Amino acid sequence: MNSNKPIILDVSELEAPYPLLKALEAIHELKNDETLTFIHRMSPCKLFEALEKNSLEYKVIKDEENYFEMKIYKVTK
Amino acid sequence: MKMQGLSLDQAPPYKIPMIYYIIASFYLISFCFSILSYANGIESRYYYESIAITHILTLGFFTHVMIGSLFQMIPVIIGIAYKKVNIQAILVLLFLNIGTICFITGFLTSKKIFMHLSSLFLILALVFFAVSTFFTILKTEDKNPTVKTFITALSFLFFGVILGIITLINHGSGFTSKNFADVHISIIFFGWLIMLISGVSYKVVPMFYVTKEYPLFIKNHFYWIISLILIFLSLFIITDSKFVPLFKTLLAVFTLIFSLTTLHLLKNRKRPRRDTTINLWYFAMINLSFASVFWIISIWIKVEIDFLISIVFGLGFAYSLINGMLYKIVPFLTWFHLSSKMIFDAEMSQVIQNNYMKLQYNIFIVSYFMFLLSLLFKSFIYVAIVLFLISSLILCYNIISAYTYYKRLNKTI
C-alpha cells in the first residue's frame, strides 16, 4: 500500500450527495497500484458499504470533528 | 468509528414518504379553508375552532411530514431498518388520518363521540409509531448525539400524546384539563418538535449546507437539558407552582441558543450559495429566535401576545423549516431512489422546478407578513389566508411534480 501511487480526493466543500458520488466514481476508476486518499468533513457512512461491496480495503487516518481522512486501496492477492 | 450495516435495499419504497408528504399538503390546503371559515370568530386559543384549526396544521401537516421523513431517514441516517416498514407505514397513516379527521370533526361540531374516537385512533397511530421507532433506533450500536436526541424526542412524543389524550377524554366533564393541555403543548412543541428538529439538524445542516458540525456542547447536552427543564416544567404546571415562569424562561433561553447556533453555522458555511431552502432555514431560525424572545417578554411582562407568538412560532418557524426540509429531502429522496435502481439520468435540480420553489417561497413570505399585519388590522387576515392558500397549492403541486418526475424516469427501465 505504501508504495502505491497516491490520488487525493477532497470533497470537504461539497454538499450531499456529491461527496458520495465523487467517491464512487473514484473507487470505480481505482487501479491496483493506486491509493485513494479521501478527505471529507464527516464520516461517510454510506461509502463503507460501497467499499465492502467492491472488496476494497481502507484505513481511517483521522476521524475528528469537521475533518475525516481515509486511504482506500485494492487488495493485492 | 463504527461502520453502518445499511444497504440501499433497507430503505422503504419511495412511495411511503411521498404519500405522507402529499397527504400533508392536502391538510395544509384544508388548514387555509378552515381559517378562512372560522378566523374571524376566534378570540382565544382555547376556542374549539382554534383547537381544531391548530391540529389541522400540527397533526395534518407537521406530523405527516415528520413521520413520513422518519420512516425514510431512520434506515438511511441511523442505518437500522424498520421491520415490515410498508405495513407499519400504512397502518400509522390510516390511523393518523382517521384520528385527525375525527379530532377536527369533534371540535368543529362539539360532538364528544368524535373526540373519543380520535383519542383511540391517535393513540394507535402515534404511540405505536413512537414505540416502534424508539425500539428500532435502540438497535444501533452507535449512540451518537442524533440517536440520543431522536430517542428523547420519541419518548416525549409518547408522553405528549398520552397527555393530549387525557386532556381530550376529560374535556368538558367537570375536570379542568387546561393544565394538562399546557403540559401537552410544552411537551409536543419542545420535547417532540424542537427536539426532533435539533437531531435532524445535526445531520442535515452540515451535510446539505456544507457548514461546520454543531458544537459538541449543543449536540451532547441540549437534549438532556431540555428534557430536564420539560419534566420540571410539566410538574410545576400541573401543581400551579410559582416556578412555572422561571422554567418557561429557561426553555426559551435554551431554544434561543439552538436557533442562534444554527444561524451562526449557516452564516459561516463554506459555500455561501443562496437557494430557496437556505432562505427557509434562515427565516425559520430567525423566527424561532424572535418567538423565544417574545415568549420571555410575555412571561414576565403581562402582555397578551399569544396570537403573535403562535404566528411567529407556528408559521414563521415550524412551517418554514418543514417547508425548507421538504425542498431538500424530496429531491434528494427522488434522486436516491432512482440511483439505487441504476437510473442515472436523474438530476436533483430537476426534481422540483427552482422557479416554482421560489414563487411558493415568495408568496409564503408575503402571506406571513400579512398574518402579522392582521394582528393590528383584522381585515388583512383574508389577504394573508388567500396568499397562504396559493402558496400551499404551489407546494402541493411541487411535491406531486416530484412524484411524477420519479414515475416518468422509473418507466425508462
Side-chain angles (χ1 to χ4, degrees):
Chain A
M1 172 193 153
N2 290 339
S3 59
N4 279 1
K5 198 162 58 177
I7 295 169
I8 294 172
L9 176 67
D10 185 347
V11 294
S12 58
E13 294 203 4
L14 296 180
E15 66 183 59
Y18 301 104
L20 180 65
L21 289 179
K22 294 272 180 200
L24 291 176
E25 270 174 35
I27 62 171
H28 186 70
E29 290 168 8
L30 196 67
K31 294 180 178 68
N32 285 337
D33 63 338
E34 292 172 338
T35 297
L36 178 71
T37 302
F38 175 83
I39 299 164
H40 194 11
R41 60 187 183 281
M42 60 182 72
S43 175
C45 60
K46 300 203 68 61
L47 182 58
F48 296 117
E49 299 161 36
L51 297 177
E52 283 191 332
K53 276 181 186 171
N54 290 283
S55 307
L56 289 156
E57 292 282 321
Y58 65 90
K59 187 179 177 201
V60 177
I61 308 298
K62 260 188 189 166
D63 186 2
E64 297 170 352
E65 206 70 358
N66 301 310
Y67 189 86
F68 177 89
E69 186 181 324
M70 74 171 161
K71 296 207 181 295
I72 302 164
Y73 49 95
K74 288 198 166 179
V75 189
T76 45
K77 289 179 181 148
Chain B
M1 188 213 62
K2 292 176 180 68
M3 273 192 47
Q4 306 285 351
L6 176 73
S7 75
L8 292 185
D9 314 335
Q10 278 187 290
Y14 177 74
K15 66 172 187 250
I16 296 264
M18 290 308 286
I19 287 169
Y20 274 87
Y21 298 157
I22 291 165
I23 290 174
S25 66
F26 291 160
Y27 276 110
L28 194 63
I29 293 160
S30 319
F31 169 73
C32 299
F33 284 113
S34 63
I35 317 184
L36 209 51
S37 309
Y38 299 102
N40 232 350
I42 294 172
E43 300 291 335
S44 144
R45 66 186 170 104
Y46 294 107
Y47 273 43
Y48 271 19
E49 292 84 356
S50 178
I51 293 168
I53 290 169
T54 302
H55 285 81
I56 296 174
L57 189 66
T58 54
L59 287 173
F61 182 70
F62 295 166
T63 309
H64 274 77
V65 174
M66 288 159 94
I67 290 179
S69 300
L70 282 174
F71 272 127
Q72 180 67 52
M73 278 174 74
I74 300 296
V76 174
I77 287 181
I78 311 285
I80 302 285
Y82 280 93
K83 274 186 187 162
K84 295 184 176 153
V85 66
N86 286 5
I87 296 167
Q88 282 200 49
I90 296 297
L91 281 177
V92 169
L93 185 69
L94 183 70
F95 294 148
L96 179 61
N97 275 275
I98 297 170
T100 305
I101 291 162
C102 286
F103 187 100
I104 297 158
T105 310
F107 276 93
L108 289 181
T109 60
S110 304
K111 287 199 165 72
K112 287 206 84 167
I113 179 72
F114 285 110
M115 294 182 192
H116 289 163
L117 273 173
S118 79
S119 305
L120 172 70
F121 284 105
L122 289 174
I123 276 195
L124 283 171
L126 298 173
V127 169
F128 170 75
F129 173 78
V131 171
S132 162
T133 308
F134 181 94
F135 286 107
T136 302
I137 296 175
L138 219 55
K139 287 179 198 161
T140 184
E141 288 175 20
D142 184 9
K143 299 284 190 293
N144 60 52
T146 293
V147 169
K148 288 173 184 169
T149 307
F150 275 15
I151 285 172
T152 312
L154 288 159
S155 308
F156 279 118
L157 173 65
F158 177 87
F159 289 113
V161 170
I162 298 296
L163 279 158
I165 299 302
I166 290 171
T167 312
L168 194 57
I169 288 170
N170 289 290
H171 200 81
S173 61
F175 166 89
T176 173
S177 56
K178 188 177 169 295
N179 292 15
F180 279 93
D182 283 348
V183 175
H184 163 73
I185 291 165
S186 304
I187 284 180
I188 289 295
F189 279 168
F190 291 92
W192 165 239
L193 182 75
I194 290 179
M195 189 74 75
L196 187 73
I197 282 169
S198 69
V200 170
S201 301
Y202 303 155
K203 282 282 181 189
V204 164
V205 171
M207 201 168 90
F208 284 120
Y209 297 113
V210 196
T211 69
K212 284 189 169 176
E213 293 281 330
Y214 274 78
L216 281 175
F217 80 89
I218 294 262
K219 290 204 290 188
N220 291 333
H221 305 300
F222 183 77
Y223 73 95
W224 70 261
I225 291 172
I226 292 287
S227 303
L228 213 58
I229 296 168
L230 265 176
I231 290 163
F232 279 111
L233 178 63
S234 303
L235 293 171
F236 292 145
I237 289 173
I238 289 168
T239 56
D240 278 324
S241 161
K242 63 177 189 292
F243 292 112
V244 169
L246 176 68
F247 276 76
K248 278 185 174 176
T249 305
L250 283 173
L251 209 49
V253 167
F254 279 98
T255 303
L256 187 61
I257 291 169
F258 170 73
S259 62
L260 292 176
T261 304
T262 309
L263 283 169
H264 173 77
L265 288 172
L266 290 173
K267 197 172 179 308
N268 294 294
R269 66 196 193 279
K270 287 182 181 176
R271 298 177 77 208
R273 236 172 8 99
R274 292 305 284 253
D275 68 8
T276 305
T277 71
I278 198 88
N279 289 341
L280 282 159
W281 269 85
Y282 267 119
F283 191 71
M285 288 301 158
I286 289 167
N287 275 291
L288 182 57
S289 307
F290 275 117
S292 306
V293 173
F294 291 155
W295 199 34
I296 294 168
I297 291 168
S298 77
I299 291 164
W300 297 103
I301 304 162
K302 296 292 174 213
V303 282
E304 198 51 55
I305 50 171
D306 275 2
F307 281 113
L308 172 67
I309 295 169
S310 300
I311 292 167
V312 175
F313 183 90
L315 283 184
F317 160 64
Y319 170 79
S320 301
L321 195 90
I322 288 172
N323 191 162
M325 279 197 184
L326 276 172
Y327 281 161
K328 257 306 172 198
I329 292 169
V330 170
F332 182 77
L333 273 187
T334 308
W335 167 85
F336 176 81
H337 280 272
L338 287 167
S339 298
S340 73
K341 291 185 167 191
M342 311 302 278
I343 300 165
F344 298 112
D345 300 336
E347 280 283 344
M348 263 174 59
S349 57
Q350 296 302 308
V351 175
I352 298 175
Q353 293 298 311
N354 200 29
N355 51 346
Y356 283 109
M357 276 199 251
K358 260 190 194 159
L359 179 69
Q360 186 263 321
Y361 165 77
N362 289 327
I363 295 170
F364 161 65
I365 296 295
V366 177
S367 79
Y368 171 78
F369 286 108
M370 291 294 161
F371 272 116
L372 289 181
L373 270 176
S374 74
L375 296 172
L376 299 171
F377 313 102
K378 210 147 190 191
S379 55
F380 275 93
I381 191 83
Y382 295 107
V383 182
I385 296 163
V386 169
L387 286 169
F388 191 65
L389 173 63
I390 295 165
S391 155
S392 304
L393 286 165
I394 301 168
L395 176 68
C396 182
Y397 170 82
N398 285 341
I399 295 167
I400 292 169
S401 71
Y403 192 72
T404 53
Y405 177 89
Y406 172 86
K407 285 278 181 199
R408 197 170 64 244
L409 264 74
N410 199 23
K411 275 182 187 161
T412 61
I413 300 177

